[in-house]
mmCIF file of all heavy atoms in Angstrom:
data_model
loop_
_atom_site.group_PDB
_atom_site.id
_atom_site.type_symbol
_atom_site.label_atom_id
_atom_site.label_comp_id
_atom_site.label_asym_id
_atom_site.label_seq_id
_atom_site.Cartn_x
_atom_site.Cartn_y
_atom_site.Cartn_z
ATOM 1 N N ILE A 142 90.802 92.679 113.613
ATOM 2 C CA ILE A 142 91.938 92.811 112.663
ATOM 3 C C ILE A 142 91.548 93.900 111.682
ATOM 4 O O ILE A 142 90.518 93.845 111.042
ATOM 5 C CB ILE A 142 92.191 91.463 111.943
ATOM 6 C CG1 ILE A 142 92.554 90.383 112.958
ATOM 7 C CG2 ILE A 142 93.266 91.639 110.883
ATOM 8 C CD1 ILE A 142 92.573 88.995 112.365
ATOM 9 N N MET A 143 92.448 94.899 111.551
ATOM 10 C CA MET A 143 92.196 95.915 110.533
ATOM 11 C C MET A 143 92.118 95.300 109.179
ATOM 12 O O MET A 143 93.015 94.474 108.820
ATOM 13 C CB MET A 143 93.303 96.991 110.591
ATOM 14 C CG MET A 143 92.978 98.227 109.775
ATOM 15 S SD MET A 143 94.418 98.883 108.890
ATOM 16 C CE MET A 143 94.196 98.118 107.294
ATOM 17 N N ALA A 144 91.118 95.617 108.391
ATOM 18 C CA ALA A 144 90.964 95.023 107.073
ATOM 19 C C ALA A 144 90.602 96.071 106.071
ATOM 20 O O ALA A 144 89.867 96.998 106.377
ATOM 21 C CB ALA A 144 89.933 93.898 107.108
ATOM 22 N N ASP A 145 91.101 95.906 104.839
ATOM 23 C CA ASP A 145 90.808 96.846 103.770
ATOM 24 C C ASP A 145 90.709 96.071 102.460
ATOM 25 O O ASP A 145 91.267 94.993 102.338
ATOM 26 C CB ASP A 145 91.892 97.906 103.651
ATOM 27 C CG ASP A 145 91.406 99.175 102.965
ATOM 28 O OD1 ASP A 145 90.203 99.230 102.556
ATOM 29 O OD2 ASP A 145 92.178 100.111 102.824
ATOM 30 N N ILE A 146 89.989 96.601 101.498
ATOM 31 C CA ILE A 146 89.768 95.975 100.236
ATOM 32 C C ILE A 146 90.333 96.872 99.148
ATOM 33 O O ILE A 146 90.102 98.071 99.141
ATOM 34 C CB ILE A 146 88.250 95.737 99.963
ATOM 35 C CG1 ILE A 146 87.700 94.745 100.984
ATOM 36 C CG2 ILE A 146 88.010 95.255 98.551
ATOM 37 C CD1 ILE A 146 86.190 94.639 100.978
ATOM 38 N N PHE A 147 91.074 96.270 98.209
ATOM 39 C CA PHE A 147 91.530 96.969 97.018
ATOM 40 C C PHE A 147 90.888 96.314 95.808
ATOM 41 O O PHE A 147 91.084 95.118 95.576
ATOM 42 C CB PHE A 147 93.034 96.966 96.874
ATOM 43 C CG PHE A 147 93.507 97.652 95.633
ATOM 44 C CD1 PHE A 147 93.554 99.034 95.588
ATOM 45 C CD2 PHE A 147 93.869 96.953 94.501
ATOM 46 C CE1 PHE A 147 93.946 99.724 94.439
ATOM 47 C CE2 PHE A 147 94.264 97.596 93.352
ATOM 48 C CZ PHE A 147 94.317 98.981 93.324
ATOM 49 N N GLN A 148 90.126 97.118 95.049
ATOM 50 C CA GLN A 148 89.505 96.626 93.838
ATOM 51 C C GLN A 148 90.142 97.374 92.652
ATOM 52 O O GLN A 148 89.944 98.573 92.483
ATOM 53 C CB GLN A 148 88.010 96.868 93.841
ATOM 54 C CG GLN A 148 87.310 96.007 94.875
ATOM 55 C CD GLN A 148 85.797 96.162 94.847
ATOM 56 O OE1 GLN A 148 85.285 97.262 94.618
ATOM 57 N NE2 GLN A 148 85.108 95.082 95.122
ATOM 58 N N PRO A 149 90.956 96.669 91.884
ATOM 59 C CA PRO A 149 91.632 97.340 90.789
ATOM 60 C C PRO A 149 90.699 97.834 89.738
ATOM 61 O O PRO A 149 89.603 97.284 89.526
ATOM 62 C CB PRO A 149 92.571 96.259 90.222
ATOM 63 C CG PRO A 149 92.097 94.957 90.761
ATOM 64 C CD PRO A 149 91.278 95.242 91.973
ATOM 65 N N GLU A 150 91.084 98.902 89.064
ATOM 66 C CA GLU A 150 90.321 99.471 87.977
ATOM 67 C C GLU A 150 90.663 98.768 86.675
ATOM 68 O O GLU A 150 91.601 98.015 86.603
ATOM 69 C CB GLU A 150 90.563 100.973 87.899
ATOM 70 C CG GLU A 150 90.073 101.700 89.148
ATOM 71 C CD GLU A 150 90.221 103.185 89.070
ATOM 72 O OE1 GLU A 150 90.355 103.723 87.929
ATOM 73 O OE2 GLU A 150 90.203 103.839 90.095
ATOM 74 N N GLY A 151 89.896 99.080 85.642
ATOM 75 C CA GLY A 151 90.106 98.477 84.351
ATOM 76 C C GLY A 151 89.100 97.372 84.116
ATOM 77 O O GLY A 151 88.365 96.965 85.027
ATOM 78 N N THR A 152 89.094 96.885 82.869
ATOM 79 C CA THR A 152 88.117 95.793 82.566
ATOM 80 C C THR A 152 88.839 94.488 82.251
ATOM 81 O O THR A 152 88.369 93.434 82.656
ATOM 82 C CB THR A 152 87.268 96.192 81.343
ATOM 83 O OG1 THR A 152 88.111 96.545 80.244
ATOM 84 C CG2 THR A 152 86.354 97.389 81.690
ATOM 85 N N SER A 153 90.002 94.558 81.565
ATOM 86 C CA SER A 153 90.702 93.328 81.219
ATOM 87 C C SER A 153 91.464 92.777 82.439
ATOM 88 O O SER A 153 91.795 93.527 83.378
ATOM 89 C CB SER A 153 91.682 93.583 80.080
ATOM 90 O OG SER A 153 92.749 94.380 80.504
ATOM 91 N N LYS A 154 91.774 91.488 82.405
ATOM 92 C CA LYS A 154 92.565 90.866 83.447
ATOM 93 C C LYS A 154 93.910 91.559 83.543
ATOM 94 O O LYS A 154 94.399 91.827 84.649
ATOM 95 C CB LYS A 154 92.730 89.375 83.182
ATOM 96 C CG LYS A 154 91.464 88.555 83.343
ATOM 97 C CD LYS A 154 91.718 87.104 83.011
ATOM 98 C CE LYS A 154 90.433 86.298 83.140
ATOM 99 N NZ LYS A 154 90.664 84.884 82.767
ATOM 100 N N LEU A 155 94.537 91.793 82.396
ATOM 101 C CA LEU A 155 95.858 92.414 82.380
ATOM 102 C C LEU A 155 95.855 93.808 83.021
ATOM 103 O O LEU A 155 96.685 94.092 83.845
ATOM 104 C CB LEU A 155 96.363 92.495 80.917
ATOM 105 C CG LEU A 155 97.757 93.128 80.777
ATOM 106 C CD1 LEU A 155 98.832 92.276 81.474
ATOM 107 C CD2 LEU A 155 98.091 93.320 79.299
ATOM 108 N N ALA A 156 94.883 94.634 82.650
ATOM 109 C CA ALA A 156 94.791 95.976 83.208
ATOM 110 C C ALA A 156 94.583 95.915 84.712
ATOM 111 O O ALA A 156 95.229 96.689 85.468
ATOM 112 C CB ALA A 156 93.660 96.762 82.556
ATOM 113 N N GLN A 157 93.731 95.032 85.168
ATOM 114 C CA GLN A 157 93.470 94.983 86.617
ATOM 115 C C GLN A 157 94.690 94.457 87.357
ATOM 116 O O GLN A 157 95.017 94.983 88.443
ATOM 117 C CB GLN A 157 92.244 94.103 86.913
ATOM 118 C CG GLN A 157 90.950 94.783 86.526
ATOM 119 C CD GLN A 157 89.751 94.167 87.159
ATOM 120 O OE1 GLN A 157 89.819 93.234 87.939
ATOM 121 N NE2 GLN A 157 88.562 94.690 86.797
ATOM 122 N N MET A 158 95.365 93.463 86.830
ATOM 123 C CA MET A 158 96.571 92.969 87.475
ATOM 124 C C MET A 158 97.656 94.061 87.544
ATOM 125 O O MET A 158 98.270 94.257 88.591
ATOM 126 C CB MET A 158 97.108 91.729 86.736
ATOM 127 C CG MET A 158 96.254 90.506 86.924
ATOM 128 S SD MET A 158 96.918 89.108 85.954
ATOM 129 C CE MET A 158 98.344 88.640 86.907
ATOM 130 N N MET A 159 97.859 94.751 86.428
ATOM 131 C CA MET A 159 98.866 95.816 86.405
ATOM 132 C C MET A 159 98.544 96.961 87.344
ATOM 133 O O MET A 159 99.399 97.517 87.978
ATOM 134 C CB MET A 159 99.065 96.308 84.972
ATOM 135 C CG MET A 159 99.668 95.281 84.015
ATOM 136 S SD MET A 159 101.241 94.590 84.584
ATOM 137 C CE MET A 159 102.273 95.997 84.558
ATOM 138 N N HIS A 160 97.243 97.309 87.414
ATOM 139 C CA HIS A 160 96.841 98.366 88.315
ATOM 140 C C HIS A 160 97.052 97.956 89.769
ATOM 141 O O HIS A 160 97.545 98.765 90.598
ATOM 142 C CB HIS A 160 95.342 98.735 88.089
ATOM 143 C CG HIS A 160 94.879 99.888 88.912
ATOM 144 N ND1 HIS A 160 93.851 99.770 89.797
ATOM 145 C CD2 HIS A 160 95.351 101.149 88.988
ATOM 146 C CE1 HIS A 160 93.685 100.930 90.375
ATOM 147 N NE2 HIS A 160 94.557 101.797 89.913
ATOM 148 N N ALA A 161 96.772 96.730 90.104
ATOM 149 C CA ALA A 161 96.996 96.247 91.475
ATOM 150 C C ALA A 161 98.496 96.235 91.802
ATOM 151 O O ALA A 161 98.909 96.588 92.901
ATOM 152 C CB ALA A 161 96.381 94.870 91.666
ATOM 153 N N ILE A 162 99.312 95.820 90.840
ATOM 154 C CA ILE A 162 100.757 95.828 91.040
ATOM 155 C C ILE A 162 101.265 97.253 91.262
ATOM 156 O O ILE A 162 102.056 97.532 92.184
ATOM 157 C CB ILE A 162 101.475 95.161 89.843
ATOM 158 C CG1 ILE A 162 101.249 93.642 89.863
ATOM 159 C CG2 ILE A 162 102.973 95.496 89.848
ATOM 160 C CD1 ILE A 162 101.684 92.967 88.582
ATOM 161 N N GLN A 163 100.788 98.140 90.429
ATOM 162 C CA GLN A 163 101.188 99.568 90.567
ATOM 163 C C GLN A 163 100.824 100.134 91.936
ATOM 164 O O GLN A 163 101.671 100.737 92.598
ATOM 165 C CB GLN A 163 100.502 100.403 89.461
ATOM 166 C CG GLN A 163 100.837 101.882 89.503
ATOM 167 C CD GLN A 163 100.014 102.653 88.476
ATOM 168 O OE1 GLN A 163 98.817 102.386 88.317
ATOM 169 N NE2 GLN A 163 100.628 103.622 87.832
ATOM 170 N N TYR A 164 99.630 99.850 92.382
ATOM 171 C CA TYR A 164 99.188 100.335 93.697
ATOM 172 C C TYR A 164 100.069 99.771 94.786
ATOM 173 O O TYR A 164 100.562 100.509 95.676
ATOM 174 C CB TYR A 164 97.726 99.966 93.912
ATOM 175 C CG TYR A 164 97.209 100.330 95.286
ATOM 176 C CD1 TYR A 164 96.861 101.652 95.611
ATOM 177 C CD2 TYR A 164 97.092 99.362 96.305
ATOM 178 C CE1 TYR A 164 96.413 101.970 96.882
ATOM 179 C CE2 TYR A 164 96.636 99.705 97.562
ATOM 180 C CZ TYR A 164 96.285 100.993 97.856
ATOM 181 O OH TYR A 164 95.851 101.319 99.116
ATOM 182 N N GLY A 165 100.280 98.474 94.792
ATOM 183 C CA GLY A 165 101.097 97.852 95.833
ATOM 184 C C GLY A 165 102.543 98.389 95.851
ATOM 185 O O GLY A 165 103.120 98.583 96.931
ATOM 186 N N ASP A 166 103.082 98.639 94.685
ATOM 187 C CA ASP A 166 104.425 99.186 94.596
ATOM 188 C C ASP A 166 104.459 100.572 95.252
ATOM 189 O O ASP A 166 105.411 100.898 95.989
ATOM 190 C CB ASP A 166 104.921 99.267 93.156
ATOM 191 C CG ASP A 166 105.312 97.911 92.579
ATOM 192 O OD1 ASP A 166 105.180 96.899 93.299
ATOM 193 O OD2 ASP A 166 105.718 97.897 91.403
ATOM 194 N N TYR A 167 103.506 101.422 94.943
ATOM 195 C CA TYR A 167 103.488 102.748 95.516
ATOM 196 C C TYR A 167 103.263 102.692 97.054
ATOM 197 O O TYR A 167 103.934 103.419 97.782
ATOM 198 C CB TYR A 167 102.360 103.588 94.890
ATOM 199 C CG TYR A 167 102.831 104.407 93.721
ATOM 200 C CD1 TYR A 167 102.459 104.082 92.422
ATOM 201 C CD2 TYR A 167 103.617 105.562 93.883
ATOM 202 C CE1 TYR A 167 102.881 104.835 91.327
ATOM 203 C CE2 TYR A 167 104.027 106.328 92.815
ATOM 204 C CZ TYR A 167 103.668 105.964 91.526
ATOM 205 O OH TYR A 167 104.077 106.693 90.459
ATOM 206 N N VAL A 168 102.410 101.795 97.506
ATOM 207 C CA VAL A 168 102.192 101.677 98.945
ATOM 208 C C VAL A 168 103.484 101.301 99.653
ATOM 209 O O VAL A 168 103.848 101.847 100.658
ATOM 210 C CB VAL A 168 101.057 100.671 99.261
ATOM 211 C CG1 VAL A 168 101.035 100.345 100.756
ATOM 212 C CG2 VAL A 168 99.719 101.194 98.829
#
Side-chain angles (χ1 to χ4, degrees):
I142 299 170
M143 192 218 96
D145 202 0
I146 296 170
F147 179 77
Q148 293 183 324
E150 295 184 19
T152 55
S153 69
K154 291 178 181 180
L155 180 64
Q157 288 197 3
M158 289 177 74
M159 294 303 297
H160 184 239
I162 289 169
Q163 179 186 39
Y164 174 79
D166 285 1
Y167 268 107
V168 170

